[in-house]
PDB file of all heavy atoms in Angstrom:
ATOM      1  N   GLY I 393     -23.044  29.537  30.643  1.00 37.00           N
ATOM      2  CA  GLY I 393     -22.829  30.557  31.584  1.00 37.00           C
ATOM      3  C   GLY I 393     -21.699  31.449  31.151  1.00 37.00           C
ATOM      4  O   GLY I 393     -21.305  31.537  30.024  1.00 37.00           O
ATOM      5  N   LYS I 394     -21.158  32.156  32.169  1.00 36.00           N
ATOM      6  CA  LYS I 394     -20.144  33.191  31.960  1.00 36.00           C
ATOM      7  C   LYS I 394     -18.960  32.641  31.175  1.00 36.00           C
ATOM      8  O   LYS I 394     -18.376  33.268  30.330  1.00 36.00           O
ATOM      9  CB  LYS I 394     -19.742  33.791  33.335  1.00 36.00           C
ATOM     10  CG  LYS I 394     -18.718  34.939  33.221  1.00 36.00           C
ATOM     11  CD  LYS I 394     -18.522  35.537  34.578  1.00 36.00           C
ATOM     12  CE  LYS I 394     -17.551  36.626  34.448  1.00 36.00           C
ATOM     13  NZ  LYS I 394     -17.347  37.252  35.810  1.00 36.00           N
ATOM     14  N   TYR I 395     -18.452  31.349  31.538  1.00 34.00           N
ATOM     15  CA  TYR I 395     -17.258  30.847  30.871  1.00 34.00           C
ATOM     16  C   TYR I 395     -17.559  29.755  29.865  1.00 34.00           C
ATOM     17  O   TYR I 395     -16.681  28.891  29.593  1.00 34.00           O
ATOM     18  CB  TYR I 395     -16.344  30.332  31.944  1.00 34.00           C
ATOM     19  CG  TYR I 395     -15.980  31.449  32.997  1.00 34.00           C
ATOM     20  CD1 TYR I 395     -16.491  31.525  34.223  1.00 34.00           C
ATOM     21  CD2 TYR I 395     -15.086  32.435  32.544  1.00 34.00           C
ATOM     22  CE1 TYR I 395     -16.112  32.512  35.100  1.00 34.00           C
ATOM     23  CE2 TYR I 395     -14.724  33.439  33.411  1.00 34.00           C
ATOM     24  CZ  TYR I 395     -15.222  33.501  34.668  1.00 34.00           C
ATOM     25  OH  TYR I 395     -14.904  34.499  35.506  1.00 34.00           O
ATOM     26  N   GLY I 396     -18.724  29.714  29.338  1.00 34.00           N
ATOM     27  CA  GLY I 396     -19.099  28.623  28.451  1.00 34.00           C
ATOM     28  C   GLY I 396     -18.306  28.583  27.148  1.00 34.00           C
ATOM     29  O   GLY I 396     -18.137  27.533  26.557  1.00 34.00           O
ATOM     30  N   HIS I 397     -17.659  29.701  26.752  1.00 36.00           N
ATOM     31  CA  HIS I 397     -16.846  29.740  25.565  1.00 36.00           C
ATOM     32  C   HIS I 397     -15.443  29.117  25.733  1.00 36.00           C
ATOM     33  O   HIS I 397     -14.760  28.841  24.733  1.00 36.00           O
ATOM     34  CB  HIS I 397     -16.782  31.221  25.052  1.00 36.00           C
ATOM     35  CG  HIS I 397     -15.927  32.035  26.006  1.00 36.00           C
ATOM     36  ND1 HIS I 397     -16.420  32.493  27.206  1.00 36.00           N
ATOM     37  CD2 HIS I 397     -14.708  32.414  25.974  1.00 36.00           C
ATOM     38  CE1 HIS I 397     -15.511  33.249  27.826  1.00 36.00           C
ATOM     39  NE2 HIS I 397     -14.484  33.252  27.080  1.00 36.00           N
ATOM     40  N   LEU I 398     -15.068  28.893  26.913  1.00 35.00           N
ATOM     41  CA  LEU I 398     -13.706  28.349  27.217  1.00 35.00           C
ATOM     42  C   LEU I 398     -13.763  26.838  27.009  1.00 35.00           C
ATOM     43  O   LEU I 398     -14.705  26.116  27.300  1.00 35.00           O
ATOM     44  CB  LEU I 398     -13.260  28.726  28.707  1.00 35.00           C
ATOM     45  CG  LEU I 398     -13.072  30.199  28.921  1.00 35.00           C
ATOM     46  CD1 LEU I 398     -12.713  30.337  30.456  1.00 35.00           C
ATOM     47  CD2 LEU I 398     -12.035  30.818  28.104  1.00 35.00           C
ATOM     48  N   MET I 399     -12.661  26.250  26.549  1.00 37.00           N
ATOM     49  CA  MET I 399     -12.464  24.802  26.437  1.00 37.00           C
ATOM     50  C   MET I 399     -12.355  24.236  27.747  1.00 37.00           C
ATOM     51  O   MET I 399     -11.563  24.664  28.625  1.00 37.00           O
ATOM     52  CB  MET I 399     -11.285  24.540  25.473  1.00 37.00           C
ATOM     53  CG  MET I 399     -11.478  24.848  24.166  1.00 37.00           C
ATOM     54  SD  MET I 399      -9.954  24.284  23.353  1.00 37.00           S
ATOM     55  CE  MET I 399      -9.913  25.433  21.994  1.00 37.00           C
ATOM     56  N   GLU I 400     -12.951  23.083  28.020  1.00 43.00           N
ATOM     57  CA  GLU I 400     -12.817  22.371  29.187  1.00 43.00           C
ATOM     58  C   GLU I 400     -11.626  21.391  29.135  1.00 43.00           C
ATOM     59  O   GLU I 400     -11.118  20.970  30.157  1.00 43.00           O
ATOM     60  CB  GLU I 400     -14.106  21.621  29.526  1.00 43.00           C
ATOM     61  CG  GLU I 400     -15.228  22.570  29.914  1.00 43.00           C
ATOM     62  CD  GLU I 400     -16.517  21.815  30.130  1.00 43.00           C
ATOM     63  OE1 GLU I 400     -16.652  20.625  29.871  1.00 43.00           O
ATOM     64  OE2 GLU I 400     -17.465  22.505  30.699  1.00 43.00           O
ATOM     65  N   ASP I 401     -11.234  21.112  27.958  1.00 70.00           N
ATOM     66  CA  ASP I 401     -10.159  20.066  27.793  1.00 70.00           C
ATOM     67  C   ASP I 401      -8.795  20.772  27.640  1.00 70.00           C
ATOM     68  O   ASP I 401      -8.493  21.438  26.681  1.00 70.00           O
ATOM     69  CB  ASP I 401     -10.514  19.264  26.416  1.00 70.00           C
ATOM     70  CG  ASP I 401      -9.514  18.130  26.259  1.00 70.00           C
ATOM     71  OD1 ASP I 401      -8.449  18.043  27.057  1.00 70.00           O
ATOM     72  OD2 ASP I 401      -9.883  17.249  25.530  1.00 70.00           O
ATOM     73  N   SER I 402      -7.963  20.616  28.677  1.00 83.00           N
ATOM     74  CA  SER I 402      -6.610  21.294  28.695  1.00 83.00           C
ATOM     75  C   SER I 402      -5.748  20.724  27.583  1.00 83.00           C
ATOM     76  O   SER I 402      -4.831  21.421  27.198  1.00 83.00           O
ATOM     77  CB  SER I 402      -6.066  21.139  30.106  1.00 83.00           C
ATOM     78  OG  SER I 402      -5.690  19.871  30.335  1.00 83.00           O
ATOM     79  N   PHE I 403      -5.977  19.455  27.229  1.00 85.00           N
ATOM     80  CA  PHE I 403      -5.139  18.899  26.129  1.00 85.00           C
ATOM     81  C   PHE I 403      -5.344  19.744  24.846  1.00 85.00           C
ATOM     82  O   PHE I 403      -4.355  20.164  24.145  1.00 85.00           O
ATOM     83  CB  PHE I 403      -5.579  17.496  25.785  1.00 85.00           C
ATOM     84  CG  PHE I 403      -4.828  16.830  24.713  1.00 85.00           C
ATOM     85  CD1 PHE I 403      -3.642  16.212  24.958  1.00 85.00           C
ATOM     86  CD2 PHE I 403      -5.358  16.807  23.448  1.00 85.00           C
ATOM     87  CE1 PHE I 403      -2.833  15.590  23.943  1.00 85.00           C
ATOM     88  CE2 PHE I 403      -4.664  16.190  22.399  1.00 85.00           C
ATOM     89  CZ  PHE I 403      -3.354  15.513  22.642  1.00 85.00           C
ATOM     90  N   GLU I 404      -6.619  20.135  24.584  1.00 86.00           N
ATOM     91  CA  GLU I 404      -6.847  20.911  23.393  1.00 86.00           C
ATOM     92  C   GLU I 404      -6.200  22.286  23.583  1.00 86.00           C
ATOM     93  O   GLU I 404      -5.637  22.882  22.532  1.00 86.00           O
ATOM     94  CB  GLU I 404      -8.364  21.118  23.232  1.00 86.00           C
ATOM     95  CG  GLU I 404      -9.083  19.966  22.681  1.00 86.00           C
ATOM     96  CD  GLU I 404     -10.582  20.281  22.439  1.00 86.00           C
ATOM     97  OE1 GLU I 404     -10.988  21.393  22.260  1.00 86.00           O
ATOM     98  OE2 GLU I 404     -11.320  19.175  22.465  1.00 86.00           O
ATOM     99  N   GLU I 405      -6.355  22.893  24.673  1.00 87.00           N
ATOM    100  CA  GLU I 405      -5.746  24.296  24.979  1.00 87.00           C
ATOM    101  C   GLU I 405      -4.250  24.189  24.701  1.00 87.00           C
ATOM    102  O   GLU I 405      -3.650  25.027  24.079  1.00 87.00           O
ATOM    103  CB  GLU I 405      -6.158  24.730  26.350  1.00 87.00           C
ATOM    104  CG  GLU I 405      -7.527  25.050  26.547  1.00 87.00           C
ATOM    105  CD  GLU I 405      -7.808  25.310  27.949  1.00 87.00           C
ATOM    106  OE1 GLU I 405      -6.991  25.152  28.913  1.00 87.00           O
ATOM    107  OE2 GLU I 405      -8.949  25.654  28.314  1.00 87.00           O
ATOM    108  N   HIS I 406      -3.614  23.248  25.285  1.00 87.00           N
ATOM    109  CA  HIS I 406      -2.098  23.096  25.096  1.00 87.00           C
ATOM    110  C   HIS I 406      -1.739  22.757  23.687  1.00 87.00           C
ATOM    111  O   HIS I 406      -0.701  23.298  23.201  1.00 87.00           O
ATOM    112  CB  HIS I 406      -1.594  22.034  26.114  1.00 87.00           C
ATOM    113  CG  HIS I 406      -1.671  22.436  27.514  1.00 87.00           C
ATOM    114  ND1 HIS I 406      -0.962  23.450  28.109  1.00 87.00           N
ATOM    115  CD2 HIS I 406      -2.418  21.965  28.594  1.00 87.00           C
ATOM    116  CE1 HIS I 406      -1.222  23.590  29.362  1.00 87.00           C
ATOM    117  NE2 HIS I 406      -2.148  22.601  29.687  1.00 87.00           N
ATOM    118  N   LEU I 407      -2.571  21.993  23.079  1.00 89.00           N
ATOM    119  CA  LEU I 407      -2.291  21.649  21.648  1.00 89.00           C
ATOM    120  C   LEU I 407      -2.402  22.850  20.783  1.00 89.00           C
ATOM    121  O   LEU I 407      -1.519  23.103  19.906  1.00 89.00           O
ATOM    122  CB  LEU I 407      -3.328  20.660  21.142  1.00 89.00           C
ATOM    123  CG  LEU I 407      -3.138  20.038  19.751  1.00 89.00           C
ATOM    124  CD1 LEU I 407      -1.791  19.280  19.568  1.00 89.00           C
ATOM    125  CD2 LEU I 407      -4.193  19.066  19.459  1.00 89.00           C
ATOM    126  N   ILE I 408      -3.371  23.730  21.019  1.00 89.00           N
ATOM    127  CA  ILE I 408      -3.512  24.979  20.239  1.00 89.00           C
ATOM    128  C   ILE I 408      -2.439  25.907  20.515  1.00 89.00           C
ATOM    129  O   ILE I 408      -1.817  26.545  19.654  1.00 89.00           O
ATOM    130  CB  ILE I 408      -4.916  25.572  20.493  1.00 89.00           C
ATOM    131  CG1 ILE I 408      -6.076  24.827  19.889  1.00 89.00           C
ATOM    132  CG2 ILE I 408      -4.984  27.090  19.987  1.00 89.00           C
ATOM    133  CD1 ILE I 408      -7.373  25.193  20.308  1.00 89.00           C
ATOM    134  N   ALA I 409      -2.006  26.016  21.792  1.00 89.00           N
ATOM    135  CA  ALA I 409      -0.888  26.893  22.191  1.00 89.00           C
ATOM    136  C   ALA I 409       0.434  26.422  21.516  1.00 89.00           C
ATOM    137  O   ALA I 409       1.273  27.231  21.326  1.00 89.00           O
ATOM    138  CB  ALA I 409      -0.832  26.922  23.744  1.00 89.00           C
ATOM    139  N   ALA I 410       0.612  25.198  21.291  1.00 89.00           N
ATOM    140  CA  ALA I 410       1.848  24.607  20.693  1.00 89.00           C
ATOM    141  C   ALA I 410       1.863  24.747  19.253  1.00 89.00           C
ATOM    142  O   ALA I 410       2.950  24.460  18.610  1.00 89.00           O
ATOM    143  CB  ALA I 410       1.894  23.184  21.091  1.00 89.00           C
ATOM    144  N   LEU I 411       0.771  25.028  18.504  1.00 91.00           N
ATOM    145  CA  LEU I 411       0.786  25.123  17.084  1.00 91.00           C
ATOM    146  C   LEU I 411       1.885  26.027  16.463  1.00 91.00           C
ATOM    147  O   LEU I 411       2.461  25.664  15.512  1.00 91.00           O
ATOM    148  CB  LEU I 411      -0.642  25.513  16.575  1.00 91.00           C
ATOM    149  CG  LEU I 411      -1.679  24.449  16.695  1.00 91.00           C
ATOM    150  CD1 LEU I 411      -3.016  24.944  16.255  1.00 91.00           C
ATOM    151  CD2 LEU I 411      -1.259  23.218  15.887  1.00 91.00           C
ATOM    152  N   PRO I 412       2.044  27.238  16.934  1.00 92.00           N
ATOM    153  CA  PRO I 412       3.076  28.198  16.318  1.00 92.00           C
ATOM    154  C   PRO I 412       4.481  27.504  16.515  1.00 92.00           C
ATOM    155  O   PRO I 412       5.232  27.549  15.560  1.00 92.00           O
ATOM    156  CB  PRO I 412       2.987  29.444  17.134  1.00 92.00           C
ATOM    157  CG  PRO I 412       1.571  29.514  17.733  1.00 92.00           C
ATOM    158  CD  PRO I 412       1.291  28.046  18.034  1.00 92.00           C
ATOM    159  N   ALA I 413       4.733  26.939  17.595  1.00 91.00           N
ATOM    160  CA  ALA I 413       6.091  26.257  17.793  1.00 91.00           C
ATOM    161  C   ALA I 413       6.178  25.077  16.906  1.00 91.00           C
ATOM    162  O   ALA I 413       7.294  24.859  16.240  1.00 91.00           O
ATOM    163  CB  ALA I 413       6.287  25.793  19.238  1.00 91.00           C
TER     164      ALA I 413
END
Side-chain angles (χ1 to χ4, degrees):
K394 185 175 178 182
Y395 300 105
H397 66 284
L398 296 176
M399 290 184 210
E400 292 180 348
D401 190 343
S402 66
F403 181 83
E404 285 184 26
E405 291 172 356
H406 292 295
L407 185 62
I408 289 170
L411 287 176

